[in-house]
């Protein structure tokens, strides 16, 4: 028992007194990366968690602290079955919260195209783009209540690359808050696989709110299993975890 504990490195969770401070710290890390590497490859997330971080990135751009002109971005996922331009598509989300407000080059922005007639071909295309870009320098992640990262839902095994996934009912229920009714939440999504996520040079995992406290603790201290995809992050050599007081309370 003692040996087991000793061999397992402890994941360091940075807890912030306020959400504003967390957002500023996370954005500062991203801005710092781009300042030293203007053509950095960023892996980006959607959902409620990163919105404040994107606001900080826009503020940094407006203050001329950073330019996104040469930055390459890959979004983690996109819903299947929403019309192009649907306000809840992740493409619309990214425009609304980030891309419409900065100088990002549209040719360097990548989001899975879930309207593709053949989704498997779209997955292969996305993987080819990721491979051509090399390693992701910084992968921004939120965490689902069931431990999903991207839309890699708990399962007995997980694919390495981009794939179509059936969303867990827990995920659809959690995301219903963004739709007019729960039935409108798509049943499927295209998601980046855990391969490129774990291959990223740095992973920045963000957790906010009391409802994330238990899953964050389980993911970072429990057994490593594809039944809790975020637990795979324990294996990452450069994992940075930022949590607010509520999400990080079990680490104090
Ligand atoms: C979003 C994504 C998801 C979310 C997760 C948490 O692109 O890949 O893994 O990060 O579902 O969602 P929020 O932030 O809404 O709690």
């Amino acid at each position: 028992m003692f040996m087991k504990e000793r061999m397992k490195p402890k994941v360091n969770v940075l807890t912030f007194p306020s959400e504003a401070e967390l957002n500023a710290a996370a954005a500062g890390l991203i801005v710092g990366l781009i300042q030293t590497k203007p053509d950095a490859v960023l892996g980006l997330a959607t959902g409620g968690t990163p919105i404040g971080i994107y606001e900080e990135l826009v503020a940094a751009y407006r203050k001329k602290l950073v330019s996104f002109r040469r930055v390459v971005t890959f979004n983690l996922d996109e819903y299947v079955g929403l019309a192009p331009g649907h306000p809840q598509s992740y493409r619309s989300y990214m425009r609304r919260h980030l891309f419409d407000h900065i100088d990002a080059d549209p040719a360097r922005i990548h989001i899975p195209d879930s309207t593709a007639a053949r989704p498997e071909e779209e997955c292969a295309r996305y993987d080819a783009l990721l491979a051509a870009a090399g390693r992701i320098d910084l992968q921004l992640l939120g965490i689902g209540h069931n431990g999903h990262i991207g839309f890699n839902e708990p399962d007995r095994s997980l694919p390495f690359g981009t794939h179509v996934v059936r969303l867990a009912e827990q995920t659809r229920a959690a995301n219903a808050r963004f739709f007019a009714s729960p039935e409108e939440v798509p049943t499927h999504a295209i998601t980046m696989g855990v391969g490129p996520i774990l291959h990223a040079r740095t992973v920045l995992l963000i957790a906010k709110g009391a409802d994330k406290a238990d899953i964050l603790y389980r993911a970072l201290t429990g057994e490593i299993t594809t039944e809790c995809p975020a637990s795979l992050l324990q294996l990452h050599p450069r994992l940075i975890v930022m949590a607010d007081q509520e999400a990080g309370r079990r680490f104090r």
Side-chain angles (χ1 to χ4, degrees):
M1 184 61 191
F2 173 70
M3 273 304 283
K4 259 187 170 170
E5 290 304 314
R6 211 164 65 108
M7 281 166 63
K8 191 165 158 181
K10 206 166 150 278
V11 178
N12 191 19
V13 177
L14 306 170
T15 33
F16 292 83
S18 70
E19 192 181 338
E21 283 160 280
L22 190 169
N23 291 336
L29 204 73
I30 296 170
V31 167
L33 167 67
I34 300 170
Q35 283 167 340
T36 53
K37 190 173 183 185
D39 58 350
V41 181
L42 301 181
L44 297 179
T46 56
T49 305
I51 292 176
I53 298 170
Y54 293 150
E55 281 170 7
E56 289 289 333
L57 291 181
V58 171
Y61 167 72
R62 290 191 175 139
K63 284 185 206 150
K64 299 198 189 324
L65 294 174
V66 66
S67 166
F68 293 84
R69 212 167 39 80
R70 293 175 56 207
V71 170
V72 177
T73 66
F74 284 91
N75 265 82
L76 282 165
D77 37 29
E78 177 61 290
Y79 287 122
V80 172
L82 295 186
H86 187 289
Q88 292 312 326
S89 76
Y90 286 158
R91 190 169 291 272
S92 302
Y93 168 108
M94 288 308 298
R95 290 191 59 170
R96 191 161 62 244
H97 293 293
L98 186 64
F99 296 142
D100 278 356
H101 313 289
I102 59 174
D103 61 347
D105 175 357
R108 291 170 203 246
I109 289 172
H110 305 96
I111 302 175
D113 177 7
S114 61
T115 64
R118 295 176 194 273
E120 323 75 51
E121 282 176 17
E122 170 58 12
C123 294
R125 186 191 72 94
Y126 208 64
D127 281 339
L129 288 168
L130 276 160
R135 283 172 75 183
I136 290 172
D137 288 298
L138 185 140
Q139 176 64 58
L140 181 62
L141 289 179
I143 182 169
H145 296 103
N146 59 4
H148 72 216
I149 46 175
F151 276 143
N152 293 280
E153 300 282 26
D155 210 336
R156 287 168 60 193
S157 67
L158 290 172
F160 182 96
T162 306
H163 58 284
V164 177
V165 64
R166 169 181 275 282
L167 295 174
E169 283 312 310
Q170 196 182 3
T171 301
R172 294 188 66 230
N175 289 3
R177 69 193 197 279
F178 298 116
F179 289 82
S181 70
E183 302 75 52
E184 273 183 45
V185 184
T187 54
H188 290 78
I190 291 184
T191 185
M192 200 191 278
V194 289
I197 296 174
L198 292 173
H199 203 226
R201 288 194 169 84
T202 300
V203 173
L204 176 56
L205 174 65
I206 310 288
K208 293 178 178 176
D211 57 321
K212 296 291 175 68
D214 288 342
I215 190 60
L216 186 69
Y217 188 75
R218 181 181 153 211
L220 299 180
T221 65
E223 68 170 352
I224 298 168
T225 164
T226 56
E227 296 290 352
C228 179
S231 70
L232 301 178
L233 299 174
Q234 289 182 40
L235 299 169
H236 197 282
R238 236 177 99 84
L239 170 67
I240 302 171
V241 187
M242 294 188 180
D244 63 10
Q245 291 287 338
E246 291 76 20
R249 76 174 150 78
R250 296 199 54 187
F251 291 91
R252 289 202 301 274

